[in-house]
Amino acid sequence: MTWILLALGLVMIVEGLAYALAPSLIERMLEALRALPEAAIRQLGLLIVVSGLILVWLAWQLGGSFG
C-alpha cells in the first residue's frame, strides 16, 4: 500500500509541475491530442502504460521491495 501512495504522490508532483511551469505547453498538447484519431490516442495510452510497467519493474529490480 505504501508504494501505491508513493507512486500517486510522484504522479501528482510531475503533473502539478507541468501545469505550474508550462501551462501553454499543456494547452498545445491537448490541442494536438484532439486532432488525433481515437485509435492513435488509445495506442499512445497503452504505450504509456507499458512504459510505466517497465519502469516499475526496473525500480523493483534495482531497489528491492517497496514495502
Side-chain angles (χ1 to χ4, degrees):
M1 180 61 140
T2 302
W3 64 272
I4 292 174
L5 293 175
L6 174 64
L8 287 174
L10 289 172
V11 168
M12 292 173 73
I13 289 169
V14 170
E15 289 282 330
L17 281 174
Y19 283 104
L21 298 177
S24 61
L25 178 61
I26 298 294
E27 281 295 319
R28 288 195 312 247
M29 286 175 40
L30 289 174
E31 289 172 10
L33 277 174
R34 283 188 209 106
L36 290 175
E38 187 176 319
I41 296 171
R42 185 166 313 198
Q43 288 176 345
L44 180 62
L46 288 173
L47 178 65
I48 292 169
V49 168
V50 170
S51 299
L53 287 171
I54 291 169
L55 286 175
V56 168
W57 176 82
L58 184 61
W60 186 276
Q61 296 300 311
L62 292 175
S65 174
F66 289 109

